[in-house]
């Protein structure tokens, strides 16, 4: 398997983006908030404008139950119920439990090439559950790493680190209430440590994300 790095500079934000591709070229759709050149791919985070559960498509409406409101803060290990949409046809309600934010080493970043020198990776590990019982098979969910206090890292990573932090897609049977799987989101920083995981999919949550902190 061959990896290819790519760098995107957003001059206005002084943001560095790195690209990592395996079998297909693609970019994390969540990167669009920090890098205007990013676009979605099947292995990337869901591109979501109006996250909601059945049957409502109103971004201001939330599914019934203990759905986490935008801006809610949790501790690592807490379970948050969230509206979720993947692509144009799959939507429902999921529960996300961030189980750990693990610090990697600079050497782990070797697949990204020389431009990753000086960067430290962090692995956001989580469990995702199907709460609504809708068909969310083969969907993909990513969380973004933030610095202490919720500030941006200044680094956008496209891809993952196989064997260290694999962003798994939901299995084929992720279609019933109670189904679950585990996955990992990769972040990196050149400055302060990453201590926060952020869910910011959809209009409401992009403006006021749900956060998990130590």
């Amino acid at each position: 398997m061959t990896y290819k790095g790519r760098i995107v500079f957003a001059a206005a934000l002084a943001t560095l983006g790195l690209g990592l591709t395996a079998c297909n070229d693609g970019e994390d759709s969540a990167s669009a908030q920090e890098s205007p050149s990013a676009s979605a791919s099947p292995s990337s985070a869901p591109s979501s404008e109006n996250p909601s559960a059945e049957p409502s498509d109103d971004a201001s409406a939330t599914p019934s139950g203990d759905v986490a409101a935008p801006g809610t803060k949790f501790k690592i290990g807490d379970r948050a119920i969230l509206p979720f949409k993947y692509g144009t046809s799959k939507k429902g309600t999921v529960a996300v439990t961030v189980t750990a934010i693990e610090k990697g080493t600079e050497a782990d970043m070797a697949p990204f090439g020389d431009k990753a020198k000086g960067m430290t990776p962090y692995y956001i590990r989580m469990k995702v559950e199907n709460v609504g019982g809708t068909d969310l098979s083969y969907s993909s969910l990513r969380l973004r790493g933030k610095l202490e206090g919720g500030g941006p890292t200044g680094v956008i990573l496209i891809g993952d680190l196989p064997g260290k932090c694999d962003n798994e897609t939901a299995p084929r049977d992720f279609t019933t209430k109670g189904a679950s799987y585990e996955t990992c989101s990769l972040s990196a920083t050149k400055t302060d440590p990453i201590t926060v995981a952020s869910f910011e999919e959809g209009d409401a949550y992009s403006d006021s994300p749900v956060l998990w902190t130590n």
Side-chain angles (χ1 to χ4, degrees):
M1 186 173 291
T2 302
Y3 294 96
K4 180 176 65 178
R6 181 167 57 234
I7 299 173
V8 179
F9 292 96
L13 299 177
T15 300
L16 169 66
L18 293 176
L20 171 63
T21 59
C23 299
N24 297 303
D25 287 344
E27 295 184 356
D28 185 353
S29 63
S31 304
Q33 296 173 15
E34 296 183 43
S35 173
S37 62
S39 59
S41 73
S43 62
S44 67
S47 177
S48 173
E49 295 182 355
N50 296 306
S52 60
E54 302 281 12
S56 174
D57 288 327
D58 186 350
S60 64
T62 54
S64 59
D66 298 324
V67 173
T72 304
K73 295 182 180 180
F74 293 94
K75 293 293 186 181
I76 301 298
D78 287 347
R79 179 176 180 268
I81 299 177
L82 299 163
F84 178 67
K85 183 177 180 181
Y86 184 76
T88 59
S89 61
K90 295 189 176 184
K91 57 184 177 179
T93 311
V94 297
V96 178
T97 304
V98 176
T99 56
I101 300 177
E102 297 177 0
K103 181 181 179 180
T105 66
E106 183 179 341
D108 294 343
M109 297 294 291
F112 286 92
D114 291 341
K115 294 298 183 179
K117 287 183 178 179
M119 293 183 185
T120 301
Y122 286 79
Y123 310 137
I124 302 173
R125 305 195 187 279
M126 73 194 90
K127 177 181 178 181
V128 184
E129 303 170 62
N130 190 331
V131 173
T134 57
D135 182 359
L136 297 174
S137 57
Y138 306 115
S139 61
S140 178
L141 185 150
R142 287 181 183 265
L143 301 180
R144 300 181 73 79
K146 301 290 185 182
L147 306 180
E148 185 174 4
T153 65
V155 177
I156 299 172
L157 297 179
I158 313 293
D160 52 16
L161 290 174
K164 295 184 180 294
C165 186
D166 295 288
N167 185 252
E168 305 286 354
T169 57
R172 180 175 60 182
D173 60 356
F174 197 63
T175 59
T176 58
K177 186 179 295 188
S180 67
Y181 70 101
E182 295 183 357
T183 185
C184 180
S185 289
L186 175 65
S187 287
T189 177
K190 275 192 169 183
T191 56
D192 297 332
I194 291 173
T195 61
V196 180
S198 174
F199 174 85
E200 46 196 67
E201 293 301 322
D203 292 342
Y205 293 93
S206 63
D207 293 336
S208 186
V210 167
L211 304 177
W212 288 262
T213 61
N214 291 312

